[in-house]
C-alpha cells in the first residue's frame, strides 16, 4: 500500500503502464483504437435504430470521433486523458432502452470481429464495451425506476 503522495503517484503510473502493456500485447494500440472507433461509428451512423439518435446529437463528427478515441484510450490504457460524464449524457437521451444497448453491442462486436488480429484483443475490448453498456443502462434504469432498475444490464450480450 502506498505510504506517500509520491508512492501513490508511482503506483498509479505503474498500473497505467501495465494496463497499456497488456492491451498492446494483444494488438490493442492507438491505431487499433482509431480503426475501431472509425469503423464502429460508420456502422452506427447507418443503423436504422441508432443512427437517428446519434444524428440528432452529433453535428460535428470529426471532434466526436476524436473524443471517442480519447475515451477508449482512457478505458483501455488507463491514460486518464478523457474527461466528461458519459452517464449524464446518456441519461439525458429520452427513450433509451435495453434494445438500444443490445444493438450498440451487436454493432460493436461485429466491428471487433472485422478488425480482429488477436482473439484476446476482441475479448479485452468487448468485455470493456459490455461493462460500459451495462453501467449506462443500469444508471438510466435506476434513475427511472429506482432500485428496481439496478440489474437492467444483466442480460446484455457478451462478446
Amino acid at each position: 500500500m502506498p505510504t506517500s503522495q509520491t508512492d501513490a503517484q508511482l503506483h498509479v503510473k505503474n498500473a497505467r503502464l501495465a494496463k497499456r502493456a497488456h492491451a498492446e500485447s494483444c494488438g490493442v494500440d492507438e491505431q487499433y483504437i482509431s480503426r475501431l472507433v472509425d469503423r464502429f461509428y460508420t456502422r452506427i451512423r447507418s443503423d436504422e435504430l441508432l443512427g437517428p439518435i446519434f444524428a440528432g446529437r452529433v453535428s460535428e463528427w470529426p471532434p466526436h470521433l476524436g473524443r471517442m478515441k480519447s475515451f477508449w484510450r482512457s478505458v483501455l490504457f488507463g491514460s486518464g486523458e478523457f474527461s466528461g460524464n458519459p452517464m449524464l449524457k446518456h441519461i439525458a437521451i429520452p427513450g433509451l432502452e435495453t434494445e438500444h444497448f443490445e444493438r450498440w453491442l451487436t454493432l460493436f462486436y461485429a466491428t471487433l470481429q472485422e478488425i480482429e488480429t488477436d482473439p484476446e484483443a476482441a475479448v479485452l475490448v468487448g468485455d470493456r464495451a459490455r461493462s460500459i453498456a451495462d453501467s449506462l443502462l443500469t444508471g438510466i434504469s435506476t434513475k427511472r425506476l429506482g432500485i428496481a432498475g439496478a440489474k437492467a444490464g444483466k442480460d446484455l450480450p457478451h462478446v
Side-chain angles (χ1 to χ4, degrees):
M1 176 178 258
T3 57
S4 71
Q5 179 107 11
T6 303
D7 288 343
Q9 290 169 340
L10 184 59
H11 176 76
V12 168
K13 180 181 177 185
N14 287 337
R16 285 180 171 166
L17 289 172
K19 190 173 187 177
R20 185 173 188 139
H22 175 256
E24 288 179 342
S25 74
C26 59
V28 178
D29 56 15
E30 290 191 28
Q31 292 77 27
Y32 179 100
I33 291 169
S34 184
R35 204 167 52 250
L36 171 67
V37 168
D38 288 341
R39 289 186 187 192
F40 174 62
Y41 282 98
T42 295
R43 275 195 162 101
I44 288 284
R45 291 170 78 176
S46 65
D47 186 74
E48 290 180 14
L49 180 63
L50 300 179
I53 295 170
F54 280 83
R57 285 159 182 77
V58 179
S59 58
E60 298 289 328
W61 277 97
H64 182 72
L65 294 175
R67 190 155 171 73
M68 293 300 93
K69 291 172 187 180
S70 172
F71 172 79
W72 281 103
R73 286 190 302 268
S74 289
V75 167
L76 296 167
F77 300 157
S79 68
E81 67 187 273
F82 180 82
S83 65
N85 191 330
M87 183 64 73
L88 287 178
K89 294 279 188 188
H90 288 81
I91 285 174
I93 301 171
L96 283 185
E97 302 290 341
T98 301
E99 69 178 313
H100 297 99
F101 289 93
E102 288 173 343
R103 184 66 183 153
W104 186 89
L105 283 170
T106 297
L107 296 175
F108 197 91
Y109 296 158
T111 306
L112 285 176
Q113 288 177 349
E114 180 181 290
I115 69 168
E116 181 181 298
T117 55
D118 183 328
E120 187 180 347
V123 171
L124 173 71
V125 180
D127 284 349
R128 295 291 194 306
R130 189 198 183 283
S131 178
I132 291 163
D134 183 356
S135 175
L136 292 171
L137 178 58
T138 299
I140 290 166
S141 296
T142 302
K143 175 83 170 153
R144 289 182 191 153
L145 306 171
I147 195 71
K151 295 199 183 256
K154 67 180 176 49
D155 295 324
L156 289 173
H158 289 272
V159 65

